[in-house]
Amino acid sequence: MVALIRQVVTWLERWHGEARTRSPLPGPVTLPPVAPAPWGLDANHLMEDLDLLVRGSYNPWHPGAMAHLDPPPNPASVAGELVCAWLNNNMLAEELSPLLSQLERRLLGWIAQRLGLGEDGGGVMASGGTLCTITALVTARHQRGLDGQHACLYASADCHSSLAKALRVMGLPAAVLRLVPTDASGRLDPHLLDEALAQETAPILAVVATAGTTIRGAVDPIGLIADICHRRGLWLHVDGAIGAVCGLSQRHRGRVAHMGRADSLTMNPQKWLGIAKASAMVLLRQPQALADTFAAPLAYMEPARVAHGGDCGLQGTRPAEVLKLWLGLRQLGQQGIDGLLDGALHRAQVLRQGLAPLPLILPSGDLHIVCFRPSAAGSGEAWSRRTRQRLLDQGLMLSRPLYHGERYLKAVLGNPFTRREQIATLVDTISASLSR
Ligand SMILES: *Cc1c(COP(=O)(O)O)cnc(C)c1O
């Protein structure tokens, strides 16, 4: 085991050294053989297979990798992932992860308190933001006594598609997702929300505020939405997959102010903080609501001190993803967290300033995401396709989201290796693409 890991580390060292010279998005590569060979492979052959795999993979380590919310992973979290696999503990039940279950409860309790969810706040990790959203909404429905009812959900028109997916899982028709228009800043309009709620005839499952929309990084006015929910006695869920991590920073918590007034909240440290995937959690003011909702007898396990991990969400067997989060945050420290947020926000500002003089529609945003398209309506499709390729030719990878019927280019500035040099090349290329 240890000899193999040592060989993998040596192999990784070579690839890691070359990562910045390889494009963020490789061209087509032949897949290694997928079926097991008749006889097992030795380490050298395994490395050959891995070589092929790396050659064809998205490369987050390149400074021009800025298409999505998938930054280079935090180093300690990568080491934590290895240790997690080696320990092979199971968060399903306490006896299979005695200290790690405790670590998850404690760390999530600390984070919940830090984000303002109160002394008793806490939660559970799940493999990605979508699972966390489903966990939160199923809990909200159960807590509000709406199981089996045709309840509806309110969110901004710019909310994430995982809400629609959650409703499908919950057996609710797509039409129960009531989309409230956003204002010019891309934030849910609280007056329109209040008006719509006043007219509603169906039971209301929850109101969702998004702390960082996926395409432009807008943060809904959580305080005003919380006032409305409080006045009307409604469950407030905050989708903080992108922005909630700002609540961990004294300097940046104002960007997601009042987030702690939520009943439930999701946060993805795998995005902005770069904790190795998957790293996502659902947090609640009253975390025992999770076990109230999900517990089913685990007849084959010793009783838990509080509740088994497997009682607190959708997953049964679950890796101890808390290990890499804990180790990653320990490595970053408060200063490192602030630094990651500062750096990304600064790069986004530099890019915005560079793009501002160009004939572009440049929607505002509150976080580290910048999206834009040519001013002429309908020109985005061909332009974005052409320009994305031109950028890729220079090692810069952007994405092409569809937003309000128009195709945009989007840069996420969460990659700490992105320098002024890449941003300058990006601005020059965009400028040239508009003049031809
Ligand atoms: C990414 C994202 C999600 C879903 O998270 P996954 O980890 O991709 O499942 C939910 N909400 C928002 C706002 C997101 O950006």
Side-chain angles (χ1 to χ4, degrees):
M1 162 84 86
V2 174
L4 179 63
I5 291 173
R6 196 173 288 138
Q7 191 163 344
V8 170
V9 169
T10 307
W11 167 89
L12 194 69
E13 213 172 350
R14 179 168 53 79
W15 276 109
H16 192 68
E18 290 174 16
R20 295 193 198 187
T21 63
R22 291 184 300 111
S23 168
L25 191 63
V29 168
T30 318
L31 205 64
V34 294
W39 293 279
L41 301 183
D42 65 14
N44 291 334
H45 284 96
L46 292 177
M47 302 303 136
E48 281 172 23
D49 277 2
L50 286 175
D51 271 337
L52 287 170
L53 209 76
V54 173
R55 249 181 255 285
S57 295
Y58 163 69
N59 170 21
W61 293 96
H62 192 282
M66 46 173 119
H68 295 285
L69 290 144
D70 295 74
N74 162 286
S77 73
V78 174
E81 182 82 322
L82 176 65
V83 176
C84 176
W86 175 76
L87 275 172
N88 212 18
N89 274 215
N90 189 344
M91 301 299 271
L92 170 68
E94 291 256 0
E95 64 181 297
L96 289 172
S97 53
L99 201 61
L100 286 164
S101 289
Q102 216 179 314
L103 179 69
E104 181 179 84
R105 274 198 298 274
R106 278 286 183 88
L107 179 57
L108 269 53
W110 179 84
I111 292 174
Q113 201 169 349
R114 188 86 184 162
L115 301 188
L117 288 166
E119 295 261 306
D120 300 328
V124 72
M125 298 191 76
S127 197
T130 301
L131 266 186
C132 291
T133 300
I134 297 172
T135 310
L137 294 181
V138 170
T139 306
R141 175 166 72 175
H142 187 71
Q143 292 300 302
R144 296 188 54 81
L146 295 173
D147 288 350
Q149 288 193 48
H150 192 92
C152 61
L153 183 69
Y154 277 79
S156 113
D158 285 2
C159 71
H160 192 263
S161 55
S162 52
L163 293 182
K165 205 184 261 189
L167 294 176
R168 216 168 298 161
V169 170
M170 294 164 77
L172 293 168
V176 303
L177 180 56
R178 316 278 207 241
L179 296 177
V180 181
T182 58
D183 62 16
S185 310
R187 304 178 186 134
L188 183 151
D189 185 323
H191 304 292
L192 296 180
L193 171 68
D194 203 31
E195 277 174 27
L197 290 170
Q199 308 282 319
E200 184 60 62
T201 52
I204 298 163
L205 170 56
V207 173
V208 180
T210 306
T213 56
T214 312
I215 294 178
R216 63 191 280 183
V219 177
D220 287 343
I222 304 167
L224 296 174
I225 297 172
D227 289 342
I228 294 169
C229 289
H230 183 74
R231 177 158 44 82
R232 295 182 174 276
L234 300 175
W235 184 285
L236 173 61
H237 174 71
V238 171
D239 179 353
I242 302 174
V245 292
C246 287
L248 297 178
S249 162
Q250 203 72 47
R251 212 176 307 159
H252 297 296
R253 60 183 6 154
R255 291 176 193 275
V256 290
H258 306 292
M259 194 171 58
R261 292 175 65 191
D263 297 289
S264 60
L265 187 160
T266 50
M267 165 167 128
N268 279 15
Q270 70 197 16
K271 288 185 170 174
W272 203 341
L273 293 185
I275 303 300
K277 285 184 261 296
S279 186
M281 64 187 72
V282 50
L283 301 169
L284 292 101
R285 304 198 134 262
Q286 307 291 337
Q288 69 276 11
L290 290 167
D292 289 349
T293 306
F294 291 101
L298 272 174
Y300 46 100
M301 294 293 172
E302 288 296 315
R305 266 167 298 185
V306 185
H308 288 305
D311 283 339
C312 295
L314 294 160
Q315 286 172 277
T317 287
R318 183 163 60 93
E321 287 173 327
V322 68
L323 198 162
K324 64 193 167 188
L325 173 62
W326 165 70
L327 213 62
L329 293 178
R330 295 283 289 170
Q331 183 182 43
L332 283 169
Q334 203 57 61
Q335 227 178 354
I337 294 170
D338 289 346
L340 270 181
L341 301 178
D342 286 345
L345 291 163
H346 177 69
R347 287 186 294 276
Q349 196 188 356
V350 171
L351 177 57
R352 277 184 184 282
Q353 281 164 359
L355 295 175
L358 303 180
L360 292 168
I361 305 280
L362 190 61
S364 63
D366 301 301
L367 305 177
H368 63 312
I369 302 173
V370 180
C371 68
F372 49 92
R373 66 167 174 87
S375 311
S379 58
E381 185 61 48
W383 171 83
S384 64
R385 196 186 301 274
R386 188 171 70 231
T387 308
R388 174 166 142 120
Q389 190 51 54
R390 274 202 196 184
L391 290 166
L392 270 175
D393 293 344
Q394 299 175 82
L396 302 174
M397 180 180 171
L398 267 66
S399 55
R400 292 194 317 123
L402 194 60
Y403 183 57
H404 295 188
E406 296 276 358
R407 193 64 76 174
Y408 284 73
L409 278 181
K410 172 177 125 174
V412 181
L413 284 302
N415 183 343
F417 299 116
T418 303
R419 299 267 177 267
R420 270 185 184 272
E421 172 196 333
Q422 279 83 33
I423 296 176
T425 308
L426 174 53
V427 171
D428 289 348
T429 309
I430 299 301
S431 177
S433 77
L434 291 165
S435 56
R436 60 153 261 181

